[in-house]
Amino acid sequence: MRKLKTKSVAKWVAMMLGVSSSVVQSQELILNGDFSAQGLMESETSMAADHWIFSGAGDAGILNPSLAHYSNESEINNIGFAGSQSMMMQDLGVPLDLNSNYRVRLNLGWRENADAFNFKIGLRVDNHTLDITPNTSLTKGTFTQLDVEFKPDAATHQYLADLNANLFLVLENNDTQVSFIDFDDVSVTISPKNTDSDQDGMLDTWEVNFGLNPNDPLDSSFDFDNDKVSNLDEFLAGTDPTDPTSFPHIFQHRFTGNVEIESALRLVPQNTAPLICDSAHEGSMYYNSIERLVFICDGTIWNEFKGSQGEAGTAGPQGIQGPQGVQGDRGPEGPIGATGLTGPQGLQGIQGVQGIQGIPGTSHWQDSASAVTTNVNVGVGTVTPNAALEVIGNAIANDPIESNHLVTKAYSDAQYIELKQKYDHLLTMINTLNKDVFPSDGRSCTDVLSNNPNAKSGVYQIDTDGPGGEVAVAYFCDMQNLDASRPTIPGDTTGQNDNIALIYSNGLQPHSYTASGTVNQFSPAGAFDGHLYYTDPGAKVNPDAGNIVTNGIWLAPTNSNEWLQVNFGKKAVVTGFKTQVSTQHAEFSPRTPKDVILQISDDGINFVDHEHIVMEQGTAHVTLSNAAFAKHFRLHVTNTHGSSDYVQIDEMEYYGFFVQSEQQGPIDSQGSSCRTIQSENPQSGSGFFQIDPDGSGDIAPFTTYCDMETKGGGWTLVGIRYVPNKPYDHINNFDVLFTETNNITSFDDNYHLPDTHWQYMKANSQELMMNMRDVGVYAIADVAQLQNANCMPLVDTLGRVPNQTGENQFRLFWHESSGCSGTGLDYSMLNYHNIYTHDKSIYKDTNISTLAVEQTTYIFVR
């Protein structure tokens, strides 16, 4: 066995024991972090405490919780609390140290009898707050443990360290709604960073402590005390590199009894080697449970752990003779002997008399008295036959018994009839199978109309390659204009009748619904939200509907020539619809429509009458006599069931589906931006256009929406945020889905253009507009002004901002008059779900008083 080198022993011991000489000393900075010093009665609060500062309009202080607050209140002492817009702080008594790490631990509580929304944990230096709030979800009625580590770095925090101002811990409830956040067991510890400047495996603090150079990587291999162990091995083993009597000992008595060390190699029975034997594992050992031997790694292979073999002993005395063995098996049989001599030949027999020759036979027709031939033509019923056997007339024969016999006509006819029946039956089976597996109404809509001239427009199964090929596809066949026929696309359907017009489904937004007129706070969108007005219980008539929109009603001021319209934004087929009013307010029923005209349009301007309908009073179900095919559908009311002042629809549903859009070439009215399109064609309305911002540059032409109306028009859409059913949970969950796309063709997701497109358009635009179209608010600023914002200049991405945390990763820009804390109500910014205009100096035009909260935001430039 190879002898273990001292250096290898030290390395092996360090690996086996997992010993490190680096013990980071941490220091607690918080005083009275458990709030128990002050005696309070149950449910009693106090607004003063040693070492803590309380502030905010919503009140903050110390509370002794009751059973109404937490079910385990008997286990909880005093706790800190903060109401909305309130905070509690403590001076930690030390400035920011870039060479230290900070760990904040505390418990966050959500009371049983109160709400808990937004909270923020931060470290503040001279009015500058470092937000270290983690992504943590709270649980109602209990406390959630929080453990956050903050590691300052010179690149980001040098200016704060240079202020030499004391650190403050800030525990804040930054919600605008009534809520309470509770805090308990607060701790802030500071500890030096474990740095290794020269990357030699030894920490700087250890090297300095023992007189080594933390910037010299070569001193890790030196042996200053000549104990045959390198400085690095002494660091790993926790011994003194300057003391020759202090070095790793393989047999030093560190433990008594059986001690298990996590991550260390243990000599426990194993049937195979626990790791690969190489230079890194030289000296490792294990006990082989199969061979019942200890093996050690010599850096290449595993060897049995044993001493060298001793000398052979002297031979012992001869043993006594053993008993006689059993008799062996019989030997093999010998070879066969030689063959004997051949005997004499017998006598030959007498040959018999030859027989008489027979009469010559014939294999063909005999055509003369004494000659037989095989090449003569013979005919039956003909004078000059053309074949060896030519028959003209009927031939009588028995039914064949072999395949080469003569076949009768009756037999042949019977065989044909039987074969024809089998073929017809098989063809019927194939046609039936094709109809079951590949159902089809024809190869095209033209075929369907040709086979049935009275066929109405509707859905048909079209199999363009016939039975047996590709399966048929559902087509909407427009029998009035066959060229308009298209494959169908299933839409999002809701409710028991498969409604396709529910708001926020199929890309529909509040602005997708319009009307000739409305009353007070009501709106056209209210008639498509799945609710009835003032009906409790049972207000929600569509179980898939969300929250009530504008009181769930369309109420028009007159009873004639009023209309309610929906724009699907794509080709839709409507087969029927339903209108409904509150059943608990029968006096409103005369307001429901009676005589109506369903009108359709593809451009939203030119409408044609599709069908005249007489509707029932109250709730009306309508099935169209012929399916309607368009983008815009308008219900034109000519009179009601009796009201002389109002037309009312609480809920309206449309039933149908969508079709593939026809292939179109480039849009005729296009340019480098929506502004150039508008200047070249002032009559252009809002809609989707194809633009090419850099001409022959690297950015390919793409489609987006142009707003040709707001504040002079010419606005190019670059991003959409906080789309209903797509928003992020700004209380607990920051995992928002940003969808980057080269073409914005709908409003049903959080779309934004790629960074290359955005950066080019930002550099070549003068104005930026944030527009909450659904509620009619906007804010406009010069791009140059936004790029000079002091806290966060206009960023280079419309998606998640890199190298940012918390809300900062969702901000497009941020300007604040004093500091960058976002708490002084003197800031302006565009966040993910709201527009702040506390400081209006950065905007050139806005109708937002302070902020617009949680609405879909459309971002335009021009």
Side-chain angles (χ1 to χ4, degrees):
M1 183 185 73
R2 293 179 58 185
K3 295 183 178 179
L4 294 175
K5 296 180 180 179
T6 307
K7 181 176 180 180
S8 300
V9 172
K11 191 177 297 183
W12 180 82
V13 171
M15 179 187 72
M16 295 291 286
L17 300 180
V19 177
S20 173
S21 65
S22 174
V23 179
V24 178
Q25 298 295 327
S26 61
Q27 177 186 354
E28 174 67 68
L29 300 180
I30 280 288
L31 298 174
N32 289 355
D34 58 2
F35 308 105
S36 60
Q38 186 166 355
L40 296 176
M41 301 296 292
E42 189 174 281
S43 297
E44 183 182 358
T45 61
S46 173
M47 304 304 165
D50 293 339
H51 311 294
W52 288 97
I53 303 171
F54 303 103
S55 66
D59 295 332
I62 298 177
L63 165 72
N64 186 340
S66 68
L67 190 61
H69 300 138
Y70 296 99
S71 58
N72 64 334
E73 59 87 20
S74 61
E75 305 171 9
I76 305 173
N77 294 320
N78 296 346
I79 59 176
F81 72 90
S84 60
Q85 299 293 301
S86 299
M87 68 179 69
M88 51 190 301
M89 300 183 296
Q90 184 174 143
D91 185 350
L92 301 181
V94 294
L96 180 65
D97 181 8
L98 300 182
N99 295 315
S100 298
N101 293 332
Y102 297 84
R103 182 176 295 276
V104 179
R105 295 184 177 94
L106 69 153
N107 293 332
L108 272 71
W110 182 357
R111 303 179 188 177
E112 290 279 7
N113 62 344
D115 288 327
F117 296 110
N118 295 342
F119 65 89
K120 184 163 70 176
I121 311 298
L123 295 173
R124 178 173 295 181
V125 180
D126 192 27
N127 234 6
H128 298 274
T129 300
L130 300 169
D131 189 350
I132 59 172
T133 309
N135 184 1
T136 301
S137 299
L138 300 183
T139 302
K140 195 175 184 69
T142 187
F143 276 85
T144 300
Q145 191 173 51
L146 194 70
D147 192 336
V148 185
E149 186 173 15
F150 171 65
K151 299 179 179 180
D153 62 87
T156 306
H157 307 107
Q158 183 66 56
Y159 76 101
L160 295 178
D162 293 341
L163 295 175
N164 201 33
N166 279 2
L167 270 175
F168 280 76
L169 174 67
V170 180
L171 309 176
E172 182 178 357
N173 179 345
N174 61 343
D175 196 76
T176 57
Q177 307 176 57
V178 176
S179 65
F180 285 94
I181 304 291
D182 294 330
F183 309 95
D184 198 12
D185 294 330
V186 185
S187 173
V188 179
T189 55
I190 179 173
S191 58
K193 292 183 177 179
N194 290 331
T195 56
D196 182 6
S197 300
D198 52 11
Q199 301 294 312
D200 60 359
M202 301 182 298
L203 296 180
D204 292 353
T205 53
W206 189 86
E207 291 197 57
V208 172
N209 186 42
F210 288 106
L212 279 67
N213 186 351
N215 295 311
D216 180 9
L218 299 179
D219 59 7
S220 63
S221 60
F222 295 165
D223 180 11
F224 284 171
D225 55 6
N226 295 316
D227 58 2
K228 302 189 183 303
V229 181
S230 70
N231 295 332
L232 176 60
D233 288 336
E234 299 236 26
F235 169 78
L236 296 174
T239 55
D240 187 344
T242 63
D243 182 0
T245 64
S246 173
F247 59 87
H249 291 276
I250 189 171
F251 297 117
Q252 58 185 330
H253 298 286
R254 289 180 176 269
F255 308 111
T256 59
N258 295 324
V259 178
E260 178 177 338
I261 304 174
E262 185 178 358
S263 301
L265 183 66
R266 297 174 297 160
L267 289 178
V268 296
Q270 299 187 84
N271 56 8
T272 58
L275 45 82
I276 298 175
C277 179
D278 54 22
S279 58
H281 299 122
E282 181 181 356
S284 300
M285 304 172 65
Y286 83 100
Y287 176 78
N288 190 301
S289 60
I290 302 298
E291 301 187 36
R292 298 190 177 183
L293 297 172
V294 175
F295 286 83
I296 184 169
C297 172
D298 65 1
T300 304
I301 61 175
W302 291 98
N303 297 300
E304 181 184 351
F305 188 79
K306 63 180 181 179
S308 59
Q309 185 173 356
E311 298 179 357
T314 58
Q318 182 175 353
I320 59 175
Q321 184 174 353
Q324 185 177 352
V326 297
Q327 184 176 353
D329 296 334
R330 184 179 178 180
E333 188 175 349
I336 301 175
T339 305
L341 299 176
T342 304
Q345 185 175 356
L347 297 176
Q348 184 174 356
I350 301 174
Q351 183 174 355
V353 181
Q354 183 174 355
I356 302 173
Q357 183 175 354
I359 302 173
T362 178
S363 61
H364 216 286
W365 300 93
Q366 187 172 344
D367 52 7
S368 65
S370 60
V372 174
T373 182
T374 60
N375 56 10
V376 67
N377 294 335
V378 177
V380 178
T382 180
V383 179
T384 57
N386 293 318
L389 176 59
E390 183 177 358
V391 179
I392 296 180
N394 295 328
I396 300 175
N398 293 326
D399 288 341
I401 59 175
E402 293 182 11
S403 60
N404 61 350
H405 281 204
L406 187 63
V407 177
T408 65
K409 183 177 185 301
Y411 179 85
S412 177
D413 290 345
Q415 290 294 309
Y416 169 77
I417 292 172
E418 182 180 354
L419 182 61
K420 181 67 166 58
Q421 290 174 343
K422 292 181 178 179
Y423 171 78
D424 291 342
H425 179 67
L426 180 61
L427 185 60
T428 301
M429 292 177 61
I430 292 176
N431 289 335
T432 300
L433 182 62
N434 279 331
K435 290 181 179 179
D436 291 340
V437 179
F438 307 104
S440 168
D441 295 306
R443 288 178 177 266
S444 66
C445 294
T446 303
D447 287 348
V448 175
L449 187 61
S450 298
N451 295 330
N452 180 12
N454 297 321
K456 295 182 178 180
S457 298
V459 179
Y460 295 88
Q461 297 295 323
I462 302 301
D463 191 354
T464 57
D465 59 355
E470 296 294 329
V471 297
V473 176
Y475 263 70
F476 172 73
C477 293
D478 188 343
M479 298 310 182
Q480 282 70 44
N481 180 14
L482 289 172
D483 291 336
S485 301
R486 296 283 183 273
T488 65
I489 301 175
D492 295 332
T493 58
T494 62
Q496 61 181 357
N497 297 315
D498 294 336
N499 174 25
I500 63 171
L502 177 69
I503 189 170
Y504 301 134
S505 68
N506 296 309
L508 293 169
Q509 304 292 318
H511 59 75
S512 303
Y513 311 94
T514 54
S516 56
T518 57
V519 174
N520 295 334
Q521 76 271 33
F522 306 116
S523 75
F528 295 88
D529 68 350
H531 294 78
L532 300 183
Y533 185 50
Y534 286 153
T535 302
D536 186 23
K540 182 184 286 190
V541 295
N542 186 337
D544 299 314
N547 296 326
I548 297 177
V549 175
T550 61
N551 299 335
I553 186 174
W554 171 59
L555 188 65
T558 62
N559 68 342
S560 62
N561 294 320
E562 298 294 335
W563 49 262
L564 176 63
Q565 179 178 317
V566 58
N567 173 17
F568 285 105
K570 52 191 171 184
K571 279 282 193 176
V573 177
V574 170
T575 58
F577 61 88
K578 171 188 174 183
T579 62
Q580 189 174 353
V581 298
S582 169
T583 56
Q584 292 188 6
H585 294 78
E587 65 271 20
F588 290 166
S589 294
R591 296 179 178 177
T592 56
K594 180 180 179 182
D595 294 302
V596 301
I597 305 172
L598 181 66
Q599 299 175 323
I600 58 177
S601 171
D602 279 336
D603 58 11
I605 300 174
N606 302 300
F607 282 83
V608 297
D609 294 350
H610 177 77
E611 188 170 341
H612 290 252
I613 303 163
V614 178
M615 299 179 61
E616 298 176 359
Q617 180 174 330
T619 300
H621 293 265
V622 175
T623 300
L624 299 178
S625 57
N626 203 5
F629 183 35
K631 292 182 179 179
H632 303 259
F633 294 83
R634 174 181 290 181
L635 189 69
H636 189 165
V637 182
T638 58
N639 61 64
T640 67
H641 277 278
S643 174
S644 60
D645 53 1
Y646 293 112
V647 176
Q648 178 176 335
I649 296 178
D650 283 27
E651 170 67 4
M652 184 165 189
E653 298 182 347
Y654 278 101
Y655 312 125
F657 47 88
F658 301 94
V659 298
Q660 292 183 7
S661 60
E662 55 185 323
Q663 298 296 324
Q664 296 180 345
I667 301 173
D668 294 337
S669 181
Q670 60 178 329
S672 60
S673 67
C674 296
R675 189 57 172 254
T676 59
I677 294 174
Q678 185 186 48
S679 62
E680 295 171 0
N681 184 6
Q683 303 303 317
S684 297
S686 299
F688 292 97
F689 292 84
Q690 187 181 66
I691 68 173
D692 189 0
D694 64 346
S696 59
D698 295 333
I699 300 177
F702 60 90
T703 300
T704 189
Y705 183 81
C706 292
D707 183 341
M708 301 300 193
E709 302 163 5
T710 304
K711 294 295 178 177
W715 296 100
T716 302
L717 179 66
V718 295
I720 313 170
R721 291 183 169 188
Y722 206 73
V723 172
N725 301 322
K726 295 288 183 179
Y728 79 108
D729 177 0
H730 64 278
I731 299 174
N732 296 317
N733 180 15
F734 293 106
D735 189 19
V736 60
L737 176 64
F738 281 107
T739 302
E740 180 180 296
T741 178
N742 288 321
N743 297 279
I744 301 178
T745 57
S746 68
F747 307 117
D748 57 359
D749 205 343
N750 297 315
Y751 294 124
H752 68 85
L753 295 178
D755 292 349
T756 53
H757 297 47
W758 162 238
Q759 292 165 16
Y760 182 89
M761 298 180 73
K762 181 180 69 167
N764 293 275
S765 300
Q766 285 72 49
E767 296 174 300
L768 183 141
M769 175 175 69
M770 293 77 69
N771 189 350
M772 293 182 172
R773 303 168 58 196
D774 301 339
V775 293
V777 300
Y778 66 90
I780 301 175
D782 289 331
V783 172
Q785 182 82 351
L786 298 180
Q787 288 181 316
N788 290 326
N790 55 0
C791 296
M792 184 178 290
L794 191 61
V795 297
D796 284 336
T797 181
L798 295 165
R800 191 190 297 266
V801 181
N803 302 321
Q804 295 290 339
T805 59
E807 292 282 347
N808 286 357
Q809 61 190 310
F810 306 124
R811 288 178 178 148
L812 193 65
F813 72 92
W814 177 9
H815 181 85
E816 190 166 345
S817 299
S818 60
C820 290
S821 63
T823 60
L825 298 184
D826 59 351
Y827 55 89
S828 292
M829 68 177 72
L830 173 64
N831 207 18
Y832 180 79
H833 62 290
N834 44 35
I835 302 171
Y836 294 91
T837 60
H838 295 298
D839 177 9
K840 291 185 171 58
S841 64
I842 200 168
Y843 299 104
K844 62 190 301 183
D845 189 6
T846 181
N847 63 353
I848 304 173
S849 59
T850 55
L851 73 157
V853 180
E854 297 185 1
Q855 294 290 340
T856 304
T857 304
Y858 302 82
I859 306 171
F860 295 89
V861 294
R862 73 175 178 186

